[in-house]
Every structure is written in structure tokens, then in C-alpha cells.
Amino acid sequence: MKTLLLIPSYRKENIATAVSADQHPTMDYDALAAGLESRGTCAELYDYRALEAESDALVKLARKTMGRDIALAVAGWRRRHHYNTLFTNGENVGLFLALLLRLSGKKRPGHVTIGHRLSTGKKKLFFGTLKLWQEMDTVFVYATTQQKHGASVLGIPAERLRLIPFHADATFWRPRPEVTENEKQVSAAGLEWRDYPTLLAAAERLPETSFPLAAASPWSKHNNETEKRTMPANVSARRYEYVELRELYASSAIVAVPLYENDFQAGITAILEAMACGKAVVVTQTEGQTDAISDGENGLYVPVGDSASWETAIRRLQADPALRQKLGENARLWIEQNATLDRWVESLCTAIISCGSKNTVP
């Protein structure tokens, strides 16, 4: 059985030594490929770097005229006869691949995809009107809101639409009791839909608390709102490497994830990393960010755009070490029971292998 993994990013090369040395988390695409291989399925990964080395004229034309993600879909479609299953890590690739599979009009390989945000307006044409979900055997989503939208608005059948938690490498992201925790330190990380202005407004009223911000993300297309901005004296912002970020989480009494209103799992990477590190996490409760935090049990919610509530939540946790410990311990337990990288890999491998078993490679 053979699977092609179409990954819309540059695969990190030569990191195996760093992962083994506990200097870098395992990348999810590497974990998925290894998981498939361990289950007797040949897994090949095709990324942007492979795309740049592509010799197929049609793929090269697609890359030049329509961009990398559509070119990835074209590359997968051109290779479809050689694989039992095609996996697309996002609807930006998966939808165009599904369209090509539809237009080819022949028996297709299996197709498993991840739908990060099905609720944008243009998705209704592809999923709802064209019903391209018919060319997808399983559509994984990370948020309850996206599952509901996919079923009720886009008409994706329940048997093809699966809600799963996102993931954290719980081996790398883990509690570090040997690191001294600063009860007057609140850290934050990431850029995707981050409402840093609201957090900064709260920071101005907490001058005795330091706010180091890891304001960077390899995935986000949003602007960094901490750049070219006069920030309070107790706030700093820079890029952190993975080991540095883990140390930042460990030394912080609180991890903040301030968000603008949205209907998907914006901020989930930072949330799960901090939870895996056993930290007390405070998160903006948006429409889409409802699946990981149970308010008062494994984290705290604050309303959208409410700096006063941020100040209140931070002061509450600073004054109550027992609550911080409870939230952190429950957060780590929730990760172990629901959102480890291994659990994510198991879910995807099961779907990919099941799908591939119904298709034969010529």
C-alpha cells in the first residue's frame, strides 16, 4: 500500500539529530510518515522543495501561473495512479485536487484531507455547490464550529466529516519542574489572529509583571502587531527558537493566548504547547476556540477584546498558586488523554489505511 503526503510547506531537513537530542519537537508530517511506515504502508512526502525540483511540465506551469498550493494538487493528481491514497494537509491543496479528480472522470485513489477553516465564503462554492467532498473520503476538522458548518451549511455527510483535536508533541513540550517559575511573568506566543493590543493594554496596568512575547509564527499570514509599536516598559517581543520557547513557557507562571474573534482553531498550537508544559493558560473565548479549554478546570477564558478581564484573570492567578497548579496539572492530563501527536497520527493513519485498502495501485 502506498500513500502520497502533499504538504504545503518546506519539510525541515536534517533535524533528526536535534529531535533525538531533545532540541526540536517532532514535525507532524514526519510523525505521520513514520506512523504509516510502521503500519506497513509506504509513505512518500511531497513538499514545496520537491515542487521546485519538479520536471513535469504541467506541474511547473501550475506553479508559475497559479501558485505553489495548486501546483501541489496538480503534482498529486499527476501521480494518482501510483498511490492507494493521497493525503492533503489543508483545503488549500485538497479542494483543487478534488476538482482535478472529479474532472478526470476515472476511478480515483483514496483522498484524506484536513479542513482547517471550511467556513470562509468561497468554500461554499467548492464544498456546497460543487460537492467536492464527494472526492474526499475523510475530511478532518479541528473545531466543533467547523464540524457543524461542514455538516449543516456545506452538506458534508457525517461519515466523511471527523472532528479530532489538534496536537502537541508531548514528549518535547512537557513540564520542566527544574526550571524556576517566575510568578510575575506572563508569556505569549504566535501571530495567527493574535489580539496583542488588548493584552498590551492589560500589561500597562500590571507594571510589576513582565510580558515576554514570542511574536513569531512559521504558518501565520497575519502582521506582527508588536513590530514598530511603542510597548510598555514591561513588555518585550522577539523570535524564540523551540528550546527557548519551551524554557519561556516553563519560567512563566501564566501563558496568555489573546485572540481576535474567529470561528476556527486560531491559537491552538500555542494553547496545546503551553498545556503540555503544564502551565496555567488564559485564552480569549472566541466562537471557534472552545474545544480545548474547560474554563476553571484546565485553563481560563476571557471575553474578546476585554483588557480589564485580562488584568483580572492575571491578578487572580498570581494571587492563587494552588489554582495555577490545578489548571496546569489538568491541562497536561487533558493533552495526554486527547491531543498528543501520537493520538493525532493514530487517527490519520487509521483513515488513510482504511481508505487505501479499497484502492489498488495499477
Side-chain angles (χ1 to χ4, degrees), residues 43 154 179 229 244 266 346:
L154 303 181
V179 177
R229 185 186 189 95
E244 292 180 304
E346 176 64 33

Side-chain angles (χ1 to χ4, degrees), residues 120-241:
T120 57
K122 62 183 179 181
K123 305 289 175 58
K124 190 170 184 179
L125 168 64
F126 296 107
F127 280 109
T129 304
L130 298 178
K131 294 182 170 56
L132 289 183
W133 52 261
Q134 294 176 347
E135 316 305 327
M136 302 171 176
D137 298 276
T138 303
V139 180
F140 285 101
V141 293
Y142 292 133
T144 298
T145 51
Q146 296 301 301
Q147 182 186 37
K148 291 178 178 177
H149 184 88
S152 63
V153 178
L154 303 181
I156 303 174
E159 64 271 17
R160 300 197 188 203
L161 192 61
R162 288 191 54 190
L163 174 67
I164 60 168
F166 194 58
H167 57 78
D169 178 357
T171 300
F172 181 84
W173 305 108
R174 63 184 187 274
R176 302 291 300 279
E178 69 275 17
V179 177
T180 301
E181 182 179 281
N182 180 356
E183 66 177 17
K184 293 296 185 180
Q185 179 171 295
V186 178
S187 62
L191 287 178
E192 189 74 5
W193 290 82
R194 293 303 195 276
D195 182 9
Y196 282 125
T198 294
L199 183 63
L200 295 181
E204 289 181 334
R205 297 193 291 272
L206 293 160
E208 73 285 359
T209 299
S210 63
F211 288 79
L213 311 180
S217 168
W219 319 113
S220 178
K221 296 180 181 178
H222 284 71
N223 293 327
N224 185 346
E225 292 189 327
T226 66
E227 289 182 334
K228 300 178 182 179
R229 185 186 189 95
T230 301
M231 294 188 294
N234 57 332
V235 178
S236 61
R238 67 176 179 88
R239 182 181 182 86
Y240 286 71
E241 298 301 328

